[in-house]
Amino acid sequence: MKKLLALMLALGMTVSLAACGGSTDSADTTASESETTEESTDAAETEETADAAEASGDGSYVIGICQLVQHEALDAATQGFKDAVTEALGAENVTFDEQNASNDSATCATIINQFVSNNVDLILANATAPLQAAAQGTDTIPVLGTSVTEYGVALDIDNFDGLVGTNVSGTSDLAPLDQQAAMLQELFPDAETVGLLYCSAEANSQYQVDTVQGYLEEMGYTCTQYSFSDSNDLAAVATTAAQESDVIYVPTDNTVASNTEIIRNICEPAQVPIIAGEEGICSGCGVATLSISYYDLGVATGNMAVQVLTGEADISEMPIEYAPEFTKKYNPELAEAMGVTIPDDYVAIEAAE
């Protein structure tokens, strides 16, 4: 009986061990199958991610836009740029990271550094301060400027010949300064003193007034420069200029463009007319201007961007482009208020709606 009992216990232990062994083998098999499934899933996800990355890099672009300040001319240039790029590449293939620096150079640098950190495909620098920040912030990402008057002055390039030769190119909003001086003489031949009103913080403004002053002095005018450092002292300087001048010339100047109401409120009651460097300023406080289309300038810049992004052109070999057409325009309301007779070949600036 004892032998029978021992035999039965031994048989039971054998069966139990076999069961334990079977459970372990099953778990190992399940784990192995699970690992194989996970590896297959990971491989598929990796391949899918790679395909997405490749698709993203093929015809899909991120463009950083740094605009100095919001006003009519710069807004039009940005819109023209975006329209030209999306028309050529497709809106679905382009993402614009559009930032406004609120007329602050330090903010321009912060925005540009963000674009560089994000490794955007191209930077649009709308106005001189963003261009300077972009040129200092990167030497690899393509940078296109627009609404920049003189690139040699902005980038401190001696004997500038129209080609920057680095990762920077773009378009200039410079209208012929000799023709602007001639416009002043055409409208005000009997004037004797001309005040040149501009922001001293903008190097391109200094360049314009220096150049125009040379032309005007050759014509026999007595010229005086009236510079202000920012909008805080604009009213005081503009008041002095109005008191001492028969006519005032203001160049293409971003600070002036953002504060035309201040200038108009001083010069209109004093009956001192203003010749402006661009249409946006003229519509705010000027009598006449030799105008370009900032929208068309933006379109030209956008076309340059498309060539750079698609590899059609090397930005280091792209010269600065200039507006192809200039139009004599006048502000009907201010011309009438100041009794200025406008020749027939001038085009009226339409009042803002």
Side-chain angles (χ1 to χ4, degrees), residues 38-67:
E38 288 178 1
E39 289 175 358
S40 299
T41 302
D42 289 344
E45 289 178 351
T46 301
E47 184 176 355
E48 183 178 341
T49 302
D51 290 342
E54 182 178 355
S56 175
D58 183 14
S60 182
Y61 308 99
V62 177
I63 298 176
I65 300 176
C66 180
Q67 181 173 317

Side-chain angles (χ1 to χ4, degrees), residues 25 54 82 96 130 168 180 191 203 206 272 314:
D25 290 344
E54 182 178 355
K82 292 166 63 178
F96 296 106
V168 177
Q180 292 185 37
Q206 183 72 66
V272 178
D314 180 348

Side-chain angles (χ1 to χ4, degrees), residues 148-307:
V148 176
T149 304
E150 173 55 48
Y151 282 74
V153 173
L155 301 177
D156 196 23
I157 302 174
D158 292 332
N159 301 317
F160 182 61
D161 63 358
L163 178 67
V164 178
T166 64
N167 63 313
V168 177
S169 188
T171 57
S172 169
D173 62 358
L174 180 64
L177 297 175
D178 58 339
Q179 294 184 36
Q180 292 185 37
M183 171 182 286
L184 189 150
Q185 184 183 44
E186 178 183 32
L187 295 177
F188 308 105
D190 298 327
E192 296 180 357
T193 57
V194 177
L196 305 163
L197 180 66
Y198 68 101
C199 180
S200 58
E202 299 189 32
N204 278 319
S205 296
Q206 183 72 66
Y207 167 80
Q208 291 173 81
V209 297
D210 286 345
T211 305
V212 168
Q213 180 172 345
Y215 292 126
L216 290 173
E217 288 178 343
E218 289 178 0
M219 297 172 180
Y221 293 100
T222 299
C223 299
T224 303
Q225 295 188 10
Y226 297 91
S227 65
F228 56 92
S229 58
D230 55 36
S231 58
N232 294 322
D233 61 341
L234 170 57
V237 174
T239 298
T240 302
Q243 291 171 346
E244 300 177 354
S245 309
D246 297 326
V247 183
I248 289 177
Y249 169 81
V250 293
T252 301
D253 184 295
N254 292 300
T255 308
V256 168
S258 299
N259 295 277
T260 55
E261 185 176 359
I262 294 175
I263 299 173
R264 175 171 179 161
N265 289 341
I266 293 167
C267 293
E268 183 177 2
Q271 291 291 286
V272 178
I274 293 172
I275 297 295
E278 58 92 6
E279 183 174 336
I281 295 174
C282 187
S283 64
C285 65
V287 167
T289 184
L290 188 63
S291 177
I292 67 169
S293 167
Y294 276 83
Y295 179 85
D296 290 347
L297 196 70
V299 168
T301 317
N303 291 336
M304 295 175 74
V306 171
Q307 294 178 52

